[in-house]
Amino acid sequence: MEITVTLNGKRLKAEIDPGELLLDFVRRQGCYSVKRGCETSNCGLCTVWLDGTPVLSCSTLAARADGREVTTLEGVEKEAAAFGRYLAGEGAEQCGFCSPGLIMNVLAMERELSRPTEEEIKEYLAGNLCRCTGYMGQLRAIERYLNERGGETDGENG
Ligand code: FES
Ligand code: FES
């Protein structure tokens, strides 16, 4: 079957198998940031946005993306790099395998929640697993990022 998808701002038509996963589809289009982890909806490594909302691409059929917008880390590179600097600054990026999925959810959370509390952050990111860190570094990085970005938005930076 053929689908039409806007992937990272570019409209494309592609042939897919009806059972093809969105994970395999985006990787087939060269979006290798999207990682295959558990494949059972438990780790968050395969997170992409479908019309701006995070979904697990390992449990979403590519056919569901027909006529919709799909965004991967490759489509939000500038913001991802900005947050990545906070992760590195807190020593929260070790092997980095989980980072793309985490970053997609942090950026979605930033759009969705205004000044989230620590509990809200933990709840939002509960589906993002990391084998390397104890999560405290990630949490510090997220809080610093949101605070400093919030300051920028409020014109308080500098
Ligand atoms: S690979 Fe999709 S949630 Fe783990
Ligand atoms: S940094 Fe290695 S899995 Fe998260």
Side-chain angles (χ1 to χ4, degrees):
M1 65 183 286
E2 187 181 78
I3 58 170
T4 304
V5 175
T6 303
L7 177 60
N8 295 328
K10 282 195 194 128
R11 202 172 144 89
L12 61 93
K13 282 184 194 295
E15 272 301 319
I16 60 161
D17 287 331
E20 184 171 351
L21 294 173
L22 187 55
L23 168 63
D24 294 314
F25 173 74
V26 293
R27 287 183 60 87
R28 200 151 63 78
Q29 305 304 321
C31 298
Y32 298 118
S33 71
V34 186
K35 298 289 187 282
R36 183 184 303 278
C38 65
E39 290 188 278
T40 53
S41 311
N42 281 302
C43 73
L45 261 66
C46 63
T47 302
V48 303
W49 298 348
L50 195 53
D51 289 340
T53 300
V55 296
L56 297 172
S57 63
C58 75
S59 53
T60 303
L61 290 175
R64 274 197 55 209
D66 188 26
R68 302 173 73 180
E69 279 189 33
V70 178
T71 309
T72 70
L73 194 78
E74 286 84 354
V76 287
E77 264 174 354
K78 233 172 117 183
E79 290 167 80
F83 174 60
R85 283 193 285 278
Y86 285 81
L87 270 184
E90 293 296 336
E93 191 182 61
Q94 290 176 33
C95 80
F97 197 60
C98 67
S99 298
L102 173 70
I103 291 172
M104 291 309 285
N105 268 326
V106 168
L107 298 181
M109 179 177 70
E110 183 187 12
R111 285 163 163 75
E112 200 177 314
L113 305 179
S114 155
R115 299 185 181 275
T117 62
E118 186 176 319
E119 280 317 303
E120 285 173 322
I121 295 173
K122 284 182 180 166
E123 196 176 320
Y124 201 100
L125 302 174
N128 286 89
L129 302 186
C130 173
R131 289 173 301 181
C132 302
T133 75
Y135 299 106
M136 291 316 292
Q138 288 184 349
L139 188 60
R140 282 195 308 272
I142 292 163
E143 287 179 330
R144 277 197 51 214
Y145 170 78
L146 293 175
N147 283 338
E148 292 178 21
R149 298 276 292 189
E152 279 175 31
T153 317
D154 297 345
E156 293 165 1
N157 57 325

